Amino acid sequence: MTEGTTSAAAEGADTLTRLEQEGEIAADYLEGLLDIADLDGDIDMDVEADRASVSIISDSGGRDLHKLVGREGEVLEALQELTRLAVHRETGDRSRLMLDIAGYRAQKRAELSELGAKAAAEAKSTGEAVRLDPMTPFERKVVHDAVKAAGLRSESEGEEPQRFVVVLPA
């Protein structure tokens, strides 16, 4: 093995270890939050697409956990940001950690992927750009990925919080 290969492999292992550490810190923070809120939930950690991913799931259907999701995921977004700040406080590094609660983000990802595929199909059939409603950065990323998978290009336009995706015809 060459020195460059060893270095790249070590760097990849270091990244994984760093992301696993982020997940551990986030899990500890969220367990404390669940205790304070007197909510039941199990925490699942993973590493997906070069970022730590933490999910709070419930065996009891997660009705209580939906309080932590809020209307259209607003509370979830705030909790994700607080969790990222807790990780930053411990590590000194900015975190791109993703938080899901009661499967909300996973369900949203599936819906947005379908929206992106439909918009791509419309752009292909009409030959015109398709403008979607304003979305959060997470939502736009999922739509961009779905459009790319459909073989088209997309871009974001506008200013937050009114930033939206435009799907471009071939």
Side-chain angles (χ1 to χ4, degrees):
M1 201 183 299
T2 67
E3 193 172 302
T5 305
T6 304
S7 174
E11 186 176 307
D14 288 348
T15 299
L16 187 59
T17 303
R18 183 179 52 79
L19 294 176
E20 289 169 344
Q21 179 189 17
E22 283 187 21
E24 291 287 339
I25 294 166
D28 289 345
Y29 175 78
L30 292 165
E31 281 177 6
L33 181 91
L34 290 173
D35 286 345
I36 291 168
D38 196 28
L39 295 171
D40 289 327
D42 294 325
I43 297 180
D44 184 36
M45 295 176 295
D46 201 1
V47 174
E48 300 173 358
D50 294 332
R51 64 172 54 181
S53 175
V54 179
S55 300
I56 302 175
I57 52 178
S58 173
D59 295 332
S60 62
R63 275 183 238 96
D64 287 346
L65 291 181
H66 287 289
K67 296 173 188 172
L68 297 178
V69 173
R71 188 174 56 91
E72 296 184 31
E74 290 172 332
V75 176
L76 170 59
E77 289 292 330
L79 288 173
Q80 176 176 278
E81 201 53 41
L82 287 171
T83 305
R84 287 176 174 176
L85 288 171
V87 170
H88 180 265
R89 185 185 65 221
E90 292 289 321
T91 65
D93 294 327
R94 185 176 174 274
S95 174
R96 294 177 51 235
L97 176 131
M98 289 295 292
L99 174 63
D100 193 6
I101 299 174
Y104 175 83
R105 208 178 284 278
Q107 179 183 342
K108 191 77 170 170
R109 181 177 281 126
E111 291 169 3
L112 290 165
S113 291
E114 186 177 327
L115 174 67
K118 284 181 180 177
E122 181 181 338
K124 279 181 184 176
S125 70
T126 65
E128 295 185 18
V130 176
R131 286 173 157 52
L132 301 176
D133 291 335
M135 298 177 191
T136 66
F138 161 76
E139 293 169 335
R140 290 193 309 271
K141 169 80 169 97
V142 174
V143 171
H144 286 306
D145 290 348
V147 170
K148 184 177 180 181
L152 290 184
R153 250 180 6 96
S154 59
E155 53 191 42
S156 294
E157 293 183 5
E159 298 291 323
E160 295 291 355
Q162 296 300 311
R163 202 155 165 77
F164 59 95
V165 174
V166 178
V167 180
L168 305 168

